[in-house]
Amino acid sequence: MKKLFLLFFLIFFSASKAQWIQQYSDLYHYYNTIFFLDSLSGWIGGYEYSGDRFILGTTNGGENWEEYLVENFPASIY
């Protein structure tokens, strides 16, 4: 019984730490890669409807994003 309780406790609290909040963009962005270094710093790569390729970066957990236009299509970020 103690093992079952411990397993439930670990699963419940490990899942409760991950909290994603949906954010909306005012542009037509298509995202194809994402990488977070920690809970604050992360990057997303993709392209706009117009064809411009970009990488978005955040240092505050996704509250604000800064866009960097790139020449090549970002296939993966790590």
Side-chain angles (χ1 to χ4, degrees):
M1 183 68 178
K2 288 181 183 180
K3 289 181 182 180
L4 183 60
F5 178 76
L6 179 61
L7 180 62
F8 173 77
F9 181 81
L10 291 174
I11 291 172
F12 178 78
F13 282 101
S14 65
S16 67
K17 288 183 181 180
Q19 296 181 3
W20 291 87
I21 299 170
Q22 184 174 5
Q23 295 200 357
Y24 296 95
S25 172
D26 56 346
L27 299 173
Y28 290 99
H29 286 166
Y30 299 96
Y31 308 109
N32 64 317
T33 182
I34 183 170
F35 176 76
F36 269 80
L37 185 61
D38 54 33
S39 64
L40 297 176
S41 303
W43 298 268
I44 297 176
Y47 60 96
E48 295 178 4
Y49 182 73
S50 64
D52 291 335
R53 294 159 298 274
F54 64 85
I55 293 176
L56 299 175
T58 184
T59 57
N60 59 7
E63 289 291 322
N64 302 96
W65 293 89
E66 189 167 338
E67 183 176 34
Y68 308 95
L69 296 178
V70 294
E71 290 185 24
N72 297 323
F73 187 79
S76 63
I77 298 174
Y78 55 91

